Amino acid sequence: MKSKTKKELIHELMEMRQRIAKLETLYISHEEIEQNLKREKAVNSAISELASKLLSPSSIEDISSLVLESVKHLTGSRLGYAGYIDPKTGYLISPTLTRDIWEACEVKDKNIIFKEFRGLWGWVLRNRKPLFTNTLQDDPRSSGTPSGHLRIHRFLSVPALIGENLVGQVALANSDRDYNERDLEIVERLVSLFAIAIHRKQSEETLHLLRKAVETIPIGLTITDTEGKIVYSNSADAKIHGYDVEELMGKNTRIFAPPEKWKPSSFEELRGLKIWGRESLNIKKKGEVFPVYLISVPVTDADGKPAGIITTCEDITDRKLAEETLIQRQKALHSVYKMATTLCRSFKEICNEVALSLSKLLKASHGIVLRLEDNKIKVISGISDGKLDAEEITCPEKFWDVPAYNKTEVFQLKGSLRDVFQGHPYTQYDLKSLISIPIIDTSGEAVGALVIMDQKEREFTEDEIHLIKIFARYIAFEIEREAMEIKLLNAQKMEVIGKLAGGVAHEVRNPLNAIMVFMETLIRDLESNAKYKPLIFHIRSEVNRLSDLMKDLLNLGRPVEKSDLRSELLNAICLASVDLWKHSEPGRSYTVKVLQPQDYDDVFVIADSQRLQQVFYNLLDNAARHSPEGSEIQLVIKRPEGNICRVQIIDRGKGLSEAILPRVFEPFFTTRRGGTGLGLSIVKHIVETHGGTVEIFNNEPPPGCTSEVRVPISNKQEL
């Protein structure tokens, strides 16, 4: 074998080295390929796991943790966080901090919510760009780390974006090697899925809130397709119309509209209107028609093609009732204003107007205005079938006998009223509803009633009751105004009569005194002569009658002086009056019984005691003159009602005729021969100057009359 030369050996050695180098290169490439394949497999596995999380009901916190652990493993990072942007505040929330570096971090007042974006991580969020650096201390974008923060020497961060919208961030630090473009690419791939996960979860939350809002709002909402079929209905809309939600699915919206109101609208018409709001009438499942306010909005898809119509439905029944009530009140006030400003109208004309107005406003067929006078009910005005009654009608006899009826309180009846109106012309109308509103004066006394009736059964509402009360108060005002006018006229009349009577009394008194002196002288000279005794008796009686008349005339013209007023016990005045009257000539022939409650408290009045005693003295005298001799007369002190106390003087005589009763207080009116006709006028004058009232009425049941004095009471200290 031929030996090789040195040169040949060197050449072979060089070739061998080249072959070894090639083999080494091939081996290294194979390892890199295997590492790259492993890394790609790990990335795909992480993406697959993250994708499966997107399809599951995982929370953003769990997904954030999964993303962070995956990118840390793939990049060899020791530290990191994954967070999302709160859409309401714009703050970065990083729930993974608590799981990763919370215990090791010693930053003061640390928090997982970041309101300000600082340093490298803040640069990423502000600029919406990724970055990585392996020389943190040399990077001009870095602002360093705060005191107590973990030391950072390598950093990589990627913003989570949906389009241009920032939704989150992933940041990594302190890999055991330098970060490179491959690391950035891997993190970007996972962060893109993280952005989708954040957006999806936030959209789901928003959708959940929206669905909850739609389901809980009291306004109905339906969504229909382009053919008018219902594809969605919230529970409020179903409830408004009396359906279950399931019953409405697939139905045409025409089921909500009464047949006469149905008017189909094309999608193009609605699109031209954009938002169509209107009032309408809808119909419930059971056929009840009710007012609604509808708003319809056309909806298109991403290509602008018709997709359906969203319609909201609000039941406006209560609003319509409120509007109707407001209109009713405005009309009522207008009617009252018109009546109050129209001059020269009689009380009956006013009552006619009230009855007509209430009939129209309440849509009631019948109504009557009642007035209570002298304890008797009188019908002032009547409405039948919305028209004034041409003939005068009377109050039904059984009306006041209805159980639970109270003249001073609101009273309602439902059902057939035939028994109430038995024997009355109203029985022909088959009335089924009734409400009675009392007419109350300023002293709290019932002076009448407004009675509204209808041929259909109904419950009058609080608003309707309030409406009737407006007219009741006005009629009460008119009654009091009328009484005040009469009282004023009487007061003026009494003032004139009093002044005239006082003047006459003063002029007559001096000559009368002279006549009385001459009469006494004449009596002494002729009283022994039997022939002149009848003449002397006649002269004496006539002179005494004339003297009494002068006293009455002076009392009629004399006002109650304020200096004479004192705080007096009412029962003491009454007892003094009885005692004084018992010593009079007529008082000796009758028995007077004083009655008062057993637990009667002292009642004080501001009065001129002497003048008020004269009132009860005159009334006792009047009772005696109309009673059988020897009969009993009662003086009854009633329990106070409010600020009024009543004192009644009751006799058992024949009573007075209806024609005489209204005139008993007129000056110089008398039915008794030899009477002056001023006793009761003086009573009325004194009582009214004390702020009270007096009334005489026949007893029910008979016989006899009652004289009732009503005087205001006071505290003992008042004056």
Side-chain angles (χ1 to χ4, degrees):
M1 181 177 178
K2 184 181 180 180
S3 62
K4 294 181 180 179
T5 64
K6 183 178 181 180
K7 186 177 181 178
E8 287 176 342
L9 290 172
I10 293 172
H11 178 71
E12 286 180 0
L13 181 62
M14 291 295 293
E15 285 181 348
M16 188 175 292
R17 285 181 177 176
Q18 288 177 357
R19 285 197 296 271
I20 291 171
K22 285 181 180 180
L23 288 172
E24 287 178 349
T25 301
L26 288 174
Y27 180 76
I28 292 171
S29 297
H30 180 72
E31 280 189 342
E32 287 180 354
I33 290 171
E34 284 186 351
Q35 288 177 357
N36 288 338
L37 287 174
K38 287 181 180 179
R39 178 177 290 184
E40 187 65 27
K41 183 179 179 181
V43 170
N44 290 335
S45 175
I47 291 173
S48 175
E49 187 176 359
L50 184 57
S52 66
K53 284 286 184 181
L54 290 178
L55 298 176
S56 67
S58 301
S59 65
I60 291 181
E61 288 75 11
D62 289 341
I63 293 174
S64 299
S65 179
L66 175 64
V67 169
L68 179 61
E69 292 304 319
S70 296
V71 294
K72 280 172 62 181
H73 173 71
L74 292 171
T75 60
S77 301
R78 292 176 54 207
L79 303 175
Y81 67 82
Y84 60 91
I85 301 295
D86 185 342
K88 295 179 181 178
T89 63
Y91 301 157
L92 174 68
I93 300 176
S94 180
T96 56
L97 282 176
T98 59
R99 303 182 184 182
D100 197 353
I101 57 175
W102 192 259
E103 296 296 331
C105 181
E106 297 179 357
V107 174
K108 188 178 180 181
D109 299 328
K110 57 190 175 182
N111 201 328
I112 65 170
I113 300 174
F114 299 91
K115 300 180 180 180
E116 297 180 0
F117 302 158
R118 299 173 181 174
L120 284 175
W121 66 271
W123 184 94
V124 171
L125 294 176
R126 292 194 304 273
N127 292 275
R128 290 170 168 74
K129 292 181 180 179
L131 69 78
F132 71 88
T133 178
N134 296 303
T135 54
L136 198 68
Q137 66 279 5
D138 298 330
D139 198 308
R141 297 167 294 187
S142 173
S143 59
T145 56
S147 177
H149 196 282
L150 296 174
R151 184 173 177 274
I152 305 297
H153 52 271
R154 294 187 182 92
F155 182 77
L156 183 151
S157 180
V158 176
L161 301 170
I162 296 293
E164 295 297 322
N165 186 33
L166 179 68
V167 296
Q169 180 187 34
V170 172
L172 301 169
N174 297 355
S175 174
D176 52 5
R177 56 176 175 76
D178 285 348
Y179 291 118
N180 54 43
E181 292 292 340
R182 179 62 177 162
D183 294 324
L184 186 62
E185 178 191 350
I186 291 171
V187 175
E188 283 180 330
R189 288 172 65 185
L190 288 173
V191 168
S192 63
L193 282 177
F194 182 48
I196 294 171
I198 294 172
H199 181 66
R200 180 169 179 262
K201 289 299 178 183
Q202 290 178 344
S203 297
E204 285 177 352
E205 290 177 3
T206 302
L207 184 61
H208 174 73
L209 290 174
L210 181 61
R211 181 180 290 277
K212 188 175 182 180
V214 169
E215 284 297 327
T216 55
I217 57 173
I219 297 175
L221 186 143
T222 57
I223 301 175
T224 58
D225 60 19
T226 54
E227 296 179 356
K229 292 182 179 179
I230 298 172
V231 296
Y232 174 81
S233 173
N234 70 349
S235 56
D237 195 70
K239 185 177 180 181
I240 286 172
H241 294 91
Y243 291 91
D244 293 328
V245 172
E246 294 75 15
E247 292 181 88
L248 295 176
M249 295 299 100
K251 297 289 194 306
N252 195 289
T253 52
R254 70 174 61 193
I255 65 170
F256 292 151
E260 66 276 10
K261 291 287 183 180
W262 172 250
K263 182 183 177 183
S265 299
S266 68
F267 188 89
E268 294 303 320
E269 289 176 327
L270 286 177
R271 185 157 60 178
L273 292 171
K274 293 186 178 179
I275 298 178
W276 182 26
R278 72 278 189 194
E279 287 188 5
S280 185
L281 292 175
N282 274 16
I283 188 168
K284 296 185 179 183
K285 182 179 179 180
K286 294 184 178 180
E288 179 187 347
V289 177
F290 64 105
V292 294
Y293 186 77
L294 305 173
I295 299 177
S296 297
V297 180
V299 180
T300 57
D301 60 18
D303 299 326
K305 295 179 180 179
I309 297 171
I310 298 175
T311 300
T312 62
C313 175
E314 180 184 3
D315 184 347
I316 57 173
T317 302
D318 291 341
R319 192 180 85 190
K320 284 295 183 182
L321 288 174
E323 289 174 357
E324 187 176 343
T325 299
L326 181 61
I327 292 170
Q328 282 182 334
R329 290 186 181 181
Q330 288 175 336
K331 288 181 178 179
L333 292 174
H334 177 73
S335 297
V336 171
Y337 175 78
K338 183 180 177 182
M339 287 185 283
T341 55
T342 303
L343 302 177
C344 304
R345 301 189 76 178
S346 67
F347 181 69
K348 181 171 179 59
E349 288 175 328
I350 290 171
C351 291
N352 286 344
E353 186 67 30
V354 166
L356 281 170
S357 297
L358 284 174
S359 177
K360 291 177 182 177
L361 291 171
L362 300 176
K363 298 176 183 176
S365 58
H366 290 68
I368 49 177
V369 181
L370 304 176
R371 183 172 182 178
L372 179 61
E373 291 183 292
D374 302 323
N375 284 330
K376 292 187 177 180
I377 294 292
K378 181 181 179 182
V379 177
I380 307 298
S381 297
I383 295 288
S384 297
D385 285 332
K387 297 179 182 179
L388 282 170
D389 291 318
E391 299 180 1
E392 186 173 332
I393 59 173
T394 58
C395 181
E397 293 182 3
K398 292 190 176 183
F399 184 74
W400 310 114
D401 297 329
V402 174
Y405 181 79
N406 189 320
K407 292 181 183 178
T408 60
E409 296 179 1
V410 176
F411 177 74
Q412 291 202 57
L413 272 180
K414 287 194 300 182
S416 178
L417 303 179
R418 289 186 180 276
D419 290 342
V420 177
F421 294 104
Q422 187 175 357
H424 193 273
Y426 279 176
T427 53
Q428 63 181 306
Y429 298 110
D430 191 22
L431 299 170
K432 294 181 179 178
S433 301
L434 177 149
I435 184 169
S436 175
I437 303 291
I439 299 171
I440 308 293
D441 64 14
T442 51
S443 66
E445 293 288 331
V447 293
L450 289 178
V451 183
I452 304 299
M453 297 158 285
D454 207 348
Q455 291 171 309
K456 61 182 179 181
E457 192 168 307
R458 61 190 282 191
E459 180 83 21
F460 290 89
T461 66
E462 287 298 322
D463 289 319
E464 290 173 329
I465 291 171
H466 180 77
L467 190 69
I468 303 172
K469 284 183 176 180
I470 291 175
F471 286 94
R473 284 193 289 269
Y474 178 69
I475 291 182
F477 165 78
E478 285 294 331
I479 290 174
E480 290 191 287
R481 184 183 64 80
E482 183 183 63
M484 189 66 69
E485 287 179 354
I486 294 171
K487 189 175 180 180
L488 182 61
L489 288 172
N490 288 336
Q492 291 172 341
K493 182 179 177 182
M494 288 297 295
E495 184 179 4
V496 172
I497 292 173
K499 288 180 179 179
L500 179 61
V504 170
H506 281 293
E507 290 298 325
V508 173
R509 198 170 187 181
N510 290 334
L512 181 61
N513 287 336
I515 291 171
M516 292 177 71
V517 172
F518 291 139
M519 181 194 70
E520 291 298 327
T521 302
L522 187 62
I523 289 172
R524 283 197 299 269
D525 293 341
L526 300 176
E527 65 180 349
S528 59
N529 191 331
K531 178 181 177 181
Y532 295 106
K533 276 188 177 181
L535 294 174
I536 291 171
F537 177 79
H538 182 68
I539 291 171
R540 175 178 280 172
S541 63
E542 289 301 315
V543 169
N544 287 338
R545 192 172 73 85
L546 189 57
S547 177
D548 290 341
L549 177 61
M550 292 306 103
K551 289 178 183 177
D552 287 346
L553 286 173
L554 287 171
N555 282 329
L556 189 62
R558 183 162 67 92
V560 175
E561 298 294 339
K562 189 172 182 180
S563 59
D564 295 329
L565 297 176
R566 300 285 186 276
S567 182
E568 305 281 359
L569 277 168
L570 181 59
N571 62 338
I573 293 174
C574 293
L575 292 172
S577 304
V578 171
D579 187 61
L580 183 64
W581 185 74
K582 280 182 178 180
H583 290 85
S584 68
E585 185 177 343
R588 297 188 188 99
S589 303
Y590 296 88
T591 302
V592 179
K593 188 175 183 180
V594 178
L595 301 173
Q596 62 185 32
Q598 289 183 353
D599 56 346
Y600 183 78
D601 294 326
D602 291 341
V603 173
F604 290 87
V605 293
I606 302 298
D608 179 342
S609 180
Q610 296 297 321
R611 301 298 296 276
L612 214 51
Q613 284 181 40
Q614 185 181 356
V615 166
F616 297 119
Y617 185 98
N618 286 7
L619 291 175
L620 286 167
D621 200 50
N622 184 69
R625 296 186 188 281
H626 292 86
S627 299
E629 189 172 345
S631 62
E632 181 183 86
I633 298 172
Q634 292 182 349
L635 188 148
V636 183
I637 304 173
K638 296 286 189 178
R639 192 184 303 279
E641 297 175 359
N643 65 335
I644 298 293
C645 189
R646 295 181 295 149
V647 179
Q648 294 179 339
I649 294 168
I650 305 169
D651 65 60
R652 293 299 172 185
K654 295 180 180 180
L656 297 173
S657 68
E658 295 297 325
I660 291 175
L661 273 174
R663 302 188 60 193
V664 292
F665 294 108
E666 291 182 11
F668 306 109
F669 177 80
T670 181
T671 58
R672 180 170 57 86
R673 186 175 181 179
T676 64
L678 291 174
L680 291 180
S681 297
I682 292 169
V683 166
K684 191 172 190 295
H685 172 66
I686 295 172
V687 171
E688 288 182 350
T689 54
H690 280 78
T693 59
V694 61
E695 182 183 5
I696 295 179
F697 50 86
N698 288 318
N699 294 334
E700 288 292 344
C705 278
T706 295
S707 301
E708 183 175 87
V709 176
R710 294 182 287 270
V711 289
I713 62 177
S714 68
N715 296 323
K716 184 177 180 180
Q717 297 79 10
E718 274 188 43
L719 184 57

